[in-house]
Amino acid sequence: AIQLTQSPSSLSASLGDRVTITCRASQGISSALAWYQQKPGKAPKLLIYDASSLQGGVPSRFSGSGSGTAFTLTISSLQPEDFATYYCQQFITYPLTFGGGTKVEI
Amino acid sequence: EVHLVQSGAEVKKPGESLKISCKGSGYTFTSYWVAWVRQMPGQGLESMGIIYPGDSDTRYSPSFQGQVTISVDKSTSTAYLQWNNLKASDTAMYFCARGVQLQRPSPFFDSWGQGTLVTVSS
């Protein structure tokens, strides 16, 4: 199975900060990567698919980049509602796998 | 609007059986994959398996193969996740999710159910 390693596992940031989260795949996955946001007690929400395509309704401060084995999720200016845990997921092959998550805290 | 509505929380004893559900609405149920995702307390997301309601093609992640059964009832647009012998380690939140396959071998998930909390305790 393809392993996805996210870094950091947690980070502290302030309102207005630029935040970057990294996801590395154990083998090349082209651009078949999605990013999700999960708040406590809630279901995950799709932010980005195909590494850089913004899901409808998601604010433009979220962006994704990368291909092959290295990917990033960037929040250009952190807002109060962005404090959450973020997961990457590969969809190039089965079994579908998620990264371990990055918790963004104040 | 796409909706996935899951069945309510369950409390079971070890060794018991359980079947939880996920009802889709607002879209053509048979044209999208439905996945089940486990989240153990305080932990991350794990894909358990996925089913294509159109032809019941089912793929299990290796860790869950033989441990659970995923099925679907097209007539009611409902997917199911079933256990025959629950263990305390099955205690978790379980999410269903709609899988979108865009010119890729496998899907990502654009809509999620609200989650079903399963507690297994003697």
Side-chain angles (χ1 to χ4, degrees):
Chain A
I2 295 176
Q3 295 184 351
L4 298 178
T5 303
Q6 287 184 234
S7 60
S9 56
S10 66
L11 66 90
S12 295
S14 301
L15 295 179
D17 282 355
R18 182 181 182 88
V19 170
T20 299
I21 298 167
T22 297
C23 177
R24 295 192 183 276
S26 59
Q27 62 191 76
I29 60 170
S30 184
S31 59
L33 190 92
W35 289 97
Y36 302 89
Q37 176 194 66
Q38 187 181 32
K39 297 181 180 179
K42 300 294 186 182
K45 172 188 173 183
L46 176 67
L47 300 176
I48 302 279
Y49 62 94
D50 274 350
S52 61
S53 296
L54 194 67
Q55 173 71 348
V58 175
S60 59
R61 63 181 179 273
F62 291 93
S63 64
S65 65
S67 67
T69 61
F71 302 86
T72 60
L73 172 70
T74 299
I75 310 171
S76 60
S77 178
L78 201 64
Q79 299 301 301
E81 59 269 30
D82 301 336
F83 291 95
T85 300
Y86 295 83
Y87 295 93
C88 56
Q89 178 235 330
Q90 64 81 17
F91 54 96
I92 197 67
T93 189
Y94 293 102
L96 304 174
T97 49
F98 291 90
T102 296
K103 187 173 184 180
V104 176
E105 303 175 291
I106 299 175
Chain B
E1 186 180 357
V2 174
H3 283 290
L4 294 173
V5 178
Q6 298 185 227
S7 49
E10 301 274 1
V11 179
K12 291 289 189 180
K13 291 180 166 47
E16 290 186 334
S17 299
L18 176 64
K19 193 173 188 178
I20 62 175
S21 67
C22 168
K23 183 175 176 61
S25 64
Y27 71 101
T28 302
F29 184 73
T30 52
S31 297
Y32 293 82
W33 294 85
V34 177
W36 287 97
V37 176
R38 183 175 78 174
Q39 188 166 40
M40 299 179 76
Q43 302 301 309
L45 305 173
E46 301 173 88
S47 176
M48 303 175 69
I50 193 164
I51 188 166
Y52 190 74
D55 60 7
S56 294
D57 182 11
T58 308
R59 319 285 178 95
Y60 292 96
S61 296
S63 299
F64 297 94
Q65 179 82 48
Q67 307 304 308
V68 297
T69 302
I70 294 171
S71 60
V72 67
D73 182 342
K74 289 190 288 188
S75 69
T76 60
S77 299
T78 303
Y80 298 96
L81 177 65
Q82 181 176 357
W83 295 261
N84 289 330
N85 181 18
L86 283 163
K87 306 175 183 62
S89 57
D90 293 316
T91 294
M93 181 71 81
Y94 293 88
F95 295 101
C96 64
R98 187 179 84 156
V100 177
Q101 193 168 354
L102 296 179
Q103 299 177 326
R104 293 289 188 187
S106 41
F108 59 90
F109 308 122
D110 71 337
S111 294
W112 293 68
Q114 82 277 18
T116 296
L117 180 63
V118 174
T119 303
V120 183
S121 174
S122 55

